[in-house]
Amino acid sequence: MSIADAVADAHRREWAHVLAATVRVTRDIDLAEECAQDAYAKALEVWERDGIPVRPGAWLTTVARNRALDLLRRETVLQRTLPLLVVASPTVVNDDRLRLIFTCCHPALGREAQVALTLRLLCGLSTADVARAFLVQESTMAARITRAKKKIAVARIPYRVPAPDDLPVRVGAVLEVLHLVYTTGHVAPAGSQLVRQDLTGSAIVLTRMLHTLLPHDPAVLGLLALLLLTEARSASRLDANGALVLLEAQNRQLWDAALIAEGTALLIKALSSRPPTRYAVQAAIAAVHTSAVSYAETDWPEICGLYDVLRTLWPNPVVELNRAIAIGMRDGAAAGLAALEPLLEEPALATYGYLSAARGSFLRDLGQSEAAVAAYSEALALTDNEAERAFLSHRIAQLRP
């Protein structure tokens, strides 16, 4: 592994730990981010000379914290860090990443700013990647993140997990963050890997922490069930050559039975609350897939019914897209294509490659090869993940004479 690859790998795996630990020292998010970035830049130089350390994350954290301490000794910087106080609470899970999430998801910030800021800071995603997750322009997202950082400083938002009595009203934004962290890692926005296991793993670990803090909260139960039932299928999503494998062709023997059992048990508890949370409904959809002994026996009518419920609880264009795909699986490709048609006018999906890919799949099933190639080509132009690009390119090559 080259030094550049080692630093990139450490960024994927350790960024959240390095930044969160540095925030505890600086009490200033911008300064902590600057120090963390300096540590990674220094790693490129020092690791080339001295070799890759045994524990890259610990090395990076030490360098970032030392850099922060050096800066904090300067009076002007110290004064700048006063607005954001570090407040530790011994009554809750002691994890810097969880503190950072709750800081970014403070009620003083708008919901979209909360989620965007945490994706940027906790996950180390580029502003472009965060913008893609929200289906907005990069410039819009950059301005949103900058305003959120300023609001944290001006409002003197503390760096801590809330007291137990305050947790229920604060947890909604955090759950949304963790869900987006997982989905962002489930299919990485760009790069050679289909999955970013650092993101999916962190999302599951942090959701488990929330479950420890709020063991009976139906939304926490639902999200943890959703993540586990989705993660259970991870081993079958790529073949031996690293190529993408669609659900219909996956080897179900590779699915993790223990995660399915745990997720199903959590889902049963989550569904005992009425009305169900949107995470519980999403988990129920995942459970229909994991309970089917084969793809042919998937209960598509049940999935369509669950999407009808989900669209009332969580109306958004991506839910409508997934519902349209489910309709196509239940009623045939022509019905699916018709269900997708209204979404072509949806601005939020204009740069969402999965809409074009779904159209390409239905057109292919209908024997409309030329139109399918056009749809797949459009999806290819909107996709930066190399595994997905390879899959789409293969589909296009199959359809062309």
Side-chain angles (χ1 to χ4, degrees), residues 292-312:
V293 296
S294 69
Y295 185 77
E297 296 182 53
T298 303
D299 190 345
W300 290 109
E302 176 70 10
I303 290 176
C304 287
L306 288 168
Y307 273 119
D308 287 339
V309 175
L310 182 59
R311 71 198 297 221
T312 65

Side-chain angles (χ1 to χ4, degrees), residues 12-34:
R12 286 191 297 270
R13 296 177 182 276
E14 306 290 352
W15 171 263
H17 292 280
V18 175
L19 179 65
T22 308
V23 170
R24 184 147 49 91
V25 173
T26 63
R27 295 163 289 168
D28 179 282
I29 287 176
D30 278 332
L31 180 58
E33 194 172 11
E34 176 187 328

